[in-house]
Amino acid sequence: MDLIKSLLEGNKRACARLISIIENEQEGYFNILKDIHKNTKGAYVIGITGPPGAGKSTLTDKLVKKLREQEQKVGIIAIDPTSPFSKGAILGDRIRMSDLNLDPGVFIRSMGTRGYLGGLSKATYGAIKVMDAYGCDYIFVETVGVGQSEVDIVKTADTTVMVMVPGLGDDIQAIKAGVMEIGDVFVVNKADKEGAKRTSLEIEMMLDFKKDWDFRPPVTMAVANDGSGVDELLQNIINHKDYQEKNDVLNRKVLQRNKSEIREIIHRKIEDKIQNIQNEKEVEGMIIKTLSKEIDPYTVSEKIFNKLIK
């Protein structure tokens, strides 16, 4: 409770400590999340996603600096992939934003995916709540370099920025379902490279397939390294925010986000129970028997499920 009190007073260390407790699922973390939820203020969550090497970290760095010029308090959650072998993560995204670490109005947290699929970390929801209660006006969530189906960010962010770069492939890439359908705002980074205008045109053509947009995602070009196009990108994000606030879209998104979080919590609790059942000697014995075909995995799963619902 002292940590939560310090958090609400704007203590950075308390913010970092609470996120660590939630990320590591230390004793009492669930009650901490309950208490923090009551103190969230409605920070605006911006998702930054796109393929590896698109310049997401550099672009985030520039956007945050623009918001800091407006005296907005900003949180950043930078997700990095975790090694399936060593279980470690480089957490290198924050290195690209090292000068922001000295800004008292910015809080940066790096997280490993820890095997969690979808481009985010399991503790992302909790970290967002902590930063919200800490007093952040905006929270950036930068995903790992995503593939064509890692779209969890759309369930987490109020505005999802899709960062693309030229030279990733032909125009078929631009119309693939999944990751290209989640963007609220598109930006072609590294616009000084050959093929940037073509990439931008391909995205526009992809968006033209849908005719009934309530808010048609804008497409701009930027060069994050020198800051070109960042002002226009930020304005597009603000325009999307204004549209959602005026049309009551944000409340519906928050409701959907809460539904997703509730479902996620239930799934995790069920997974824990299943793991405990699987470790029972009787069940382990049945699983071993699947090797000799004495029993099949489907029968075993039915038995585990029946144990679960008793």
Side-chain angles (χ1 to χ4, degrees):
M1 293 305 294
D2 289 339
L3 276 175
I4 293 175
K5 184 172 180 291
S6 296
L7 175 77
L8 299 176
E9 291 169 354
N11 186 303
K12 253 190 182 184
R13 286 190 177 185
C15 187
R17 180 74 185 117
L18 283 165
I19 292 175
S20 293
I21 290 170
I22 292 164
E23 191 175 15
N24 296 322
E25 296 186 354
Q26 293 177 19
E27 187 178 350
Y29 86 96
F30 208 69
N31 289 328
I32 285 171
L33 281 170
K34 288 179 184 177
D35 289 332
I36 286 173
H37 181 81
K38 303 169 193 170
N39 293 288
T40 52
K41 304 174 181 70
Y44 197 78
V45 182
I46 300 168
I48 307 289
T49 191
K56 298 186 292 294
S57 297
T58 308
L59 211 48
T60 300
D61 176 79
K62 294 293 193 294
L63 287 167
V64 171
K65 285 173 180 171
K66 291 291 180 185
L67 287 170
R68 288 298 297 136
E69 289 172 9
Q70 301 170 23
E71 298 186 355
Q72 300 293 310
K73 192 172 181 178
V74 183
I76 304 169
I77 302 170
I79 315 291
D80 276 332
T82 298
S83 166
F85 305 106
S86 68
K87 309 302 180 187
I90 299 295
L91 303 180
D93 285 338
R94 67 182 302 159
I95 296 169
R96 301 185 184 95
M97 305 179 234
S98 55
D99 51 336
L100 288 176
N101 277 319
L102 303 174
D103 188 332
V106 177
F107 182 89
I108 306 176
R109 179 68 180 221
S110 287
M111 287 181 168
T113 55
R114 301 191 182 191
Y116 192 74
L117 302 177
L120 300 179
S121 166
K122 187 166 69 172
T124 304
Y125 279 122
I128 288 171
K129 289 182 189 296
V130 172
M131 289 186 182
D132 189 343
Y134 173 63
C136 291
D137 300 298
Y138 290 87
I139 299 170
F140 285 80
V141 180
E142 182 196 330
T143 73
V144 300
V146 296
Q148 290 167 343
S149 60
E150 292 161 316
V151 296
D152 275 4
I153 187 63
V154 77
K155 296 184 287 188
T156 307
D158 298 313
T159 295
T160 301
V161 178
M162 176 62 68
V163 184
M164 302 298 289
V165 285
L168 287 180
D170 58 20
D171 52 359
I172 299 300
Q173 295 295 331
I175 61 172
K176 281 191 175 178
V179 76
M180 288 297 291
E181 294 180 336
I182 67 172
D184 299 306
V185 173
F186 286 84
V187 58
V188 179
N189 193 25
K190 304 183 182 181
D192 52 343
K193 304 289 185 186
E194 185 180 349
K197 287 185 179 177
R198 177 186 167 124
T199 302
S200 177
L201 180 61
E202 287 167 356
I203 296 168
E204 294 279 12
M205 290 170 64
M206 182 270 294
L207 295 172
D208 284 341
F209 278 113
K210 183 178 177 181
K211 303 296 183 186
D212 57 341
W213 291 106
D214 294 318
F215 180 93
R216 190 185 192 278
V219 184
T220 57
M221 295 197 289
V223 182
N225 281 333
D226 63 16
S228 301
V230 174
D231 284 321
E232 190 177 0
L233 173 59
L234 181 58
Q235 188 56 55
N236 285 339
I237 293 169
I238 299 301
N239 289 346
H240 185 243
K241 177 176 181 284
D242 291 344
Y243 160 77
Q244 292 186 103
E245 288 174 344
K246 287 174 186 173
N247 293 277
D248 197 36
V249 176
L250 273 181
N251 283 336
R252 294 201 298 272
K253 274 193 174 180
V254 171
L255 189 63
Q256 193 58 46
R257 190 180 306 153
N258 289 345
K259 278 186 181 178
S260 295
E261 188 176 11
I262 290 165
R263 191 161 53 243
E264 183 71 31
I265 293 165
I266 293 169
H267 282 176
R268 266 192 264 165
K269 285 184 175 293
I270 292 171
E271 280 176 10
D272 289 342
K273 282 186 174 290
I274 290 171
Q275 190 61 50
N276 291 335
I277 292 170
Q278 281 184 320
N279 291 334
E280 292 177 7
K281 284 187 178 180
E282 181 191 348
V283 176
E284 279 187 347
M286 285 193 292
I287 293 170
I288 290 168
K289 286 179 181 177
T290 60
L291 287 172
S292 60
K293 311 290 176 68
E294 292 176 61
I295 193 169
D296 59 85
Y298 312 102
T299 302
V300 176
S301 65
E302 281 182 344
K303 289 181 180 294
I304 291 173
F305 182 74
N306 289 334
K307 273 178 169 282
L308 189 66
I309 61 175
K310 276 183 182 177

